[in-house]
Amino acid sequence: MPLIRTAPAASLGTFNRIIASAAAAGILAGLLLTGVQQLQVAPIILQAEVFESAAPKALEQAAPHSHADATPHEHSHDAKPHEHAEEGAHEHGGWQPDDGFERTFYTAVANISAGVGFALLLAAAISLHGGASGWRVGLLWGAAGYTVFFVAPSVGLPPELPGTVAAPLLARQLWWTATVMASAGGLALLVFAKNWPLRIAGALLLFVPHLVGSPQPKIHSSSAPPELALSFLYATLLANAVFWVAMGALAGYFYKKFG
């Protein structure tokens, strides 16, 4: 009979430890993020949606006056009013949850799902880096994750309110992915490399996506006022900082506890 090889008990134990730590940390961090969002981020988004809804009405009211005042040279029958539709403001077509409990519930589900996924990366990194754990170690990994997954991409593509004109989605996704990979690699070389040439290469790698430049729309515009967009930026920076730091600390704590 053929022999059936089983994985070593230590390997199975480490795998289960990573999964359990990530699940516990991700659920708690996701719930914490949802709470912070409801206090700081959600009210700003609701205000932006009011401006976004009011923008088409304002254009309709202004349209007759602008058309009447236009000279033959100013008005072209060949103009295409929807030629920038692909780069237009964020669309909200399709099903959307109702405001209130339903919206909060689906937000919490999304945050918990993201939290568990990111916590898996943190717990795996803790394990691969020798297994040194505890909430202090996790705190450092969480800060690194915040830098890689949020701060670095936000330099080129800051969080945007509803009603903000943006570049094509695929271009933004590709740039975000490249920025995360470059930031993760550069930060790893800076921290873990043992010789200066590699550390210098890591520092340079951090700047490559920003030197290339993030995709931008042809026309920058937003239905929300600039001060509201700035408040949204600060709120999301804080909310994600709380999320990543808490998730890192929890991942380190549970990884040690389940050991």
Side-chain angles (χ1 to χ4, degrees):
M1 295 179 62
L3 295 177
I4 300 176
R5 295 184 179 181
T6 58
S11 298
L12 289 176
T14 300
F15 178 78
N16 292 335
R17 190 177 175 188
I18 291 173
I19 297 298
S21 302
I27 291 172
L28 292 176
L31 291 174
L32 177 61
L33 175 61
T34 302
V36 175
Q37 286 177 333
Q38 294 308 305
L39 292 175
Q40 287 197 322
V41 180
I44 300 175
I45 293 177
L46 292 176
Q47 292 181 54
E49 289 177 345
V50 172
F51 284 104
E52 184 184 26
S53 300
K57 297 178 182 179
L59 289 175
E60 289 176 2
Q61 293 175 356
H65 301 286
S66 61
H67 181 79
D69 296 337
T71 65
H73 297 287
E74 293 172 337
H75 180 74
S76 171
H77 293 284
D78 295 331
K80 299 178 182 178
H82 302 292
E83 63 183 355
H84 300 298
E86 186 177 351
E87 292 185 334
H90 295 292
E91 297 180 358
H92 298 280
W95 177 85
Q96 294 183 37
D98 295 331
D99 291 337
F101 174 78
E102 185 176 348
R103 188 170 188 171
T104 303
F105 172 77
Y106 283 105
T107 298
V109 170
N111 288 340
I112 290 172
S113 300
V116 172
F118 285 127
L120 276 172
L121 296 178
L122 295 181
I126 291 172
S127 177
L128 290 173
H129 193 59
S133 56
W135 69 269
R136 291 182 179 86
V137 173
L139 203 67
L140 296 176
W141 283 105
Y146 175 60
T147 302
V148 168
F149 287 97
F150 187 81
V151 175
S154 295
V155 172
L157 293 175
E160 296 171 335
L161 283 169
T164 302
V165 175
L169 178 60
L170 179 59
R172 286 182 284 143
Q173 290 176 332
L174 291 175
W175 188 87
W176 185 92
T177 303
T179 302
V180 167
M181 294 175 65
S183 301
L187 192 60
L189 288 175
L190 272 175
V191 175
F192 300 120
K194 296 182 179 180
N195 57 71
W196 280 105
L198 286 178
R199 290 181 179 179
I200 294 173
L204 294 175
L205 190 58
L206 293 174
F207 291 97
V208 169
H210 307 287
L211 293 175
V212 173
S214 60
Q216 299 294 326
K218 294 180 181 179
I219 300 175
H220 291 270
S221 66
S222 175
S223 57
E227 55 270 19
L228 192 64
L230 188 61
S231 297
F232 180 69
L233 175 61
Y234 290 149
T236 52
L237 282 170
L238 177 60
N240 279 274
V242 171
F243 172 66
W244 277 100
V245 169
M247 181 170 55
L250 288 168
Y253 169 78
F254 285 118
Y255 190 85
K256 184 176 182 179
K257 182 178 178 63
F258 296 150

